[in-house]
Amino acid sequence: MTQSLSFCLDLNKLNDLAENQWKSYAEAEPFPHIVIDNFLPESVLDEILEEFPKPGQINWRQFDAEAEKKLASTSELQMGEATRFLLYQLNSSVFLKFLEKLTGISGIIPDPYFHGGGLHQIEKGGFLKMHVDFNKHKGLGLDRRLNLLIYLNKNWQEEYGGHFEMWDAEMTHCFKKVLPIFNRCVIFSTSDFSYHGHPDPLTCPEGMTRKSLALYYYTNGRPPEEVSDTHSTVFQARPGDNLNSKPAPVPLKTLLKKFLPPILFDLRNAIKHKS
């Protein structure tokens, strides 16, 4: 059994991280998230990187449209042994308990089908425009609540681009850009207002790609203020972008603040806090 096929999650590290970072996660702007460097033992990700399929090596699902240009895996059978074993650990009860403690979301359910997740790869010139994710699992009918991304890009330079961007709910400005470097993990809460993506085309050298692992987590039900309706992925233009997209849905809190008199808005918040 190779090193990657032993349990590679450091439970003490995860517990300490959740204990120390749950408040920062909840208060992060523009939506709850955390960026974790050196997330896993490098030797584990080295094996995964070694078996990561190249463009054209497997039957990738190809997205080549105005809003996204990327490659995505479609089956566990396309993944190597070390990759599958790591993904199984990230869907384990041990890891789900860590996610619940970190995010404050109870009853987290993994996706054994890796619907929309698994291996992602973007070649030079590729992009993923700003968007909010589909909010219901197509097969299970569960509510999508969390995304976890692990980047596998060694020697990735700032000028290559591919930054993971997080924007405000009204899509007026970018709050944070995250460079997708090797062994960096991003965990964030998804709702109808958590706009994210990497909207600018990659400028990395030919033959180099932006590689990542993606896992999505669900619950049976969710707070009503997090959704506007059931939908697939919804893309949204940044200011100045030429992109055919629907207007960004506006959070209920923003609408109430805009149209209710200030005294009624403050009263509503006071009642909600008291309850």
Side-chain angles (χ1 to χ4, degrees), residues 114-129:
F114 302 107
H115 176 57
L119 311 181
H120 290 173
Q121 184 164 207
I122 299 177
E123 299 176 272
K124 182 178 181 179
F127 50 83
L128 180 60
K129 296 296 185 181

Side-chain angles (χ1 to χ4, degrees), residues 47-62:
E47 287 195 56
I48 290 172
L49 189 57
E50 186 176 341
E51 66 186 23
F52 200 98
K54 295 178 174 58
Q57 188 176 345
I58 64 171
N59 185 25
W60 291 94
R61 183 181 181 189
Q62 298 188 38

Side-chain angles (χ1 to χ4, degrees), residues 72-267:
S73 61
T74 59
S75 168
E76 292 169 70
L77 299 178
Q78 297 174 322
M79 306 174 191
E81 185 178 37
T83 303
R84 290 198 306 272
F85 192 70
L86 173 60
L87 295 184
Y88 297 158
Q89 290 184 60
L90 295 174
N91 275 350
S92 69
S93 62
V94 170
F95 194 72
L96 297 184
K97 289 176 182 175
F98 156 71
L99 290 175
E100 290 181 340
K101 194 170 187 178
L102 174 68
T103 66
I105 299 172
S106 59
I108 292 176
I109 303 169
D111 176 18
Y113 301 97
F114 302 107
H115 176 57
L119 311 181
H120 290 173
Q121 184 164 207
I122 299 177
E123 299 176 272
K124 182 178 181 179
F127 50 83
L128 180 60
K129 296 296 185 181
M130 303 307 300
H131 65 282
V132 291
D133 297 308
F134 64 86
N135 56 12
K136 286 278 189 180
H137 192 287
K138 188 175 182 179
L140 302 176
L142 297 171
D143 297 276
R144 182 167 169 181
R145 303 296 300 282
L146 289 173
N147 286 7
L148 181 147
L149 307 173
I150 301 175
Y151 296 112
L152 302 171
N153 308 301
K154 287 194 170 183
N155 304 314
W156 194 264
Q157 305 299 312
E158 190 84 26
E159 58 266 26
Y160 297 167
H163 296 79
F164 174 76
E165 297 188 10
M166 290 175 264
W167 283 58
D168 65 303
E170 290 77 31
M171 278 296 298
T172 59
H173 67 283
C174 178
F175 268 77
K176 183 178 266 188
K177 289 186 176 184
V178 180
L179 195 68
I181 61 174
F182 185 74
N183 207 3
R184 173 170 282 174
C185 173
V186 181
I187 302 170
F188 64 99
S189 297
T190 63
S191 73
D192 280 4
F193 318 108
S194 55
Y195 283 96
H196 60 280
H198 91 83
D200 295 313
L202 287 184
T203 57
C204 57
E206 291 289 347
M208 199 173 192
T209 62
R210 180 187 188 273
K211 304 175 182 69
S212 60
L213 303 178
L215 291 99
Y216 308 142
Y217 300 91
Y218 299 80
T219 58
N220 183 13
R222 72 185 307 152
E225 65 268 18
E226 291 187 356
V227 294
S228 55
D229 55 16
T230 300
H231 58 76
S232 59
T233 302
V234 177
F235 290 94
Q236 178 65 30
R238 297 172 295 174
D241 276 351
N242 182 21
L243 178 67
N244 294 319
S245 61
K246 300 177 182 179
V250 180
L252 177 61
K253 182 178 179 180
T254 301
L255 288 174
L256 290 172
K257 195 170 185 179
K258 182 176 181 181
F259 294 110
L260 285 181
I263 188 170
L264 291 181
F265 182 75
D266 292 341
L267 179 60

